[in-house]
Amino acid sequence: MPYSYPRFGPWFLHAATAALFVGGPASAQSAPSAAERSPFLGEWELDLTRMPDSYGPPPKRVIYTFDDVGSGQWRTKIDITAPDDSVRHMAVQYRRDGKMAPGEGDTSEADSAAMNSPAPNVLVMGLSKNKTLGAVRVYAISADGKEMTESAANVDNMGAPFVRNFHFRRIR
């Protein structure tokens, strides 16, 4: 699911995120028209040159993939490559209805997620670990569809809330 970039510790959730657990196989379905296609669908890479100063050592690479798998479900995959080239794989298959979906893969930061899309270019993700809220992420797509911004809200070790922004560029 979402991920915690920093220190590759708990959920990137700082990003994440979102989202992320491996779901079932994609169903065969005709492709939606360009007008129906969500601006989220595709592959996004974290812009490491724009990492928040308060984040700590950055990962080597972060890729988010959003796929429409049919029957009203999406699948989001997140791959986080650490500086030592190890990769954390997370995925989640869900409906954008705000209901919990279990995650698969690396669940060190979150084991379930819920997503809701209040506008075509906005996706809200809540992440949970062991039935406790872990983080909230809001993803927004730019008007030109080339950039995705993730706003990751959480609390630090002292219990103080914070929000960090992460910027992604479309690669597919």
Side-chain angles (χ1 to χ4, degrees):
M1 292 200 267
Y3 42 65
S4 200
Y5 300 128
R7 295 178 262 328
F8 297 91
W11 254 128
F12 141 128
L13 208 216
H14 213 71
T17 307
L20 343 171
F21 305 89
V22 178
S27 62
Q29 195 175 43
S30 62
S33 71
E36 297 169 332
R37 184 173 165 83
S38 169
F40 282 97
L41 299 177
E43 196 168 70
W44 302 86
E45 182 173 27
L46 179 65
D47 182 348
L48 296 172
T49 67
R50 298 174 67 190
M51 292 287 290
D53 293 338
S54 62
Y55 185 78
K60 188 171 186 178
R61 187 173 196 211
V62 177
I63 300 291
Y64 272 47
T65 304
F66 293 89
D67 290 316
D68 183 336
V69 296
S71 300
Q73 294 188 32
W74 279 14
R75 180 173 163 173
T76 298
K77 298 178 288 182
I78 298 172
D79 292 315
I80 302 171
T81 304
D84 68 359
D85 289 327
S86 63
V87 181
R88 294 172 50 207
H89 301 283
M90 297 148 262
V92 63
Q93 187 164 315
Y94 56 93
R95 295 181 185 282
R96 291 167 293 152
D97 59 4
K99 294 181 182 170
M100 186 281 293
E104 293 185 20
D106 184 328
T107 59
S108 62
E109 295 185 49
D111 55 24
S112 61
M115 279 66 124
N116 185 292
S117 189
N121 69 326
V122 176
L123 184 66
V124 178
M125 176 192 303
L127 297 170
S128 176
K129 174 78 174 184
N130 297 325
K131 300 183 180 181
T132 300
L133 181 63
V136 174
R137 316 257 168 132
V138 177
Y139 300 89
I141 303 295
S142 63
D144 66 5
K146 295 179 181 178
E147 182 174 290
M148 176 175 74
T149 300
E150 174 189 47
S151 296
N154 209 331
V155 295
D156 65 18
N157 293 339
M158 302 300 290
F162 67 87
V163 178
R164 291 184 182 132
N165 290 323
F166 297 89
H167 303 277
F168 293 78
R169 63 180 174 76
R170 181 181 296 280
I171 56 176
R172 172 177 69 79

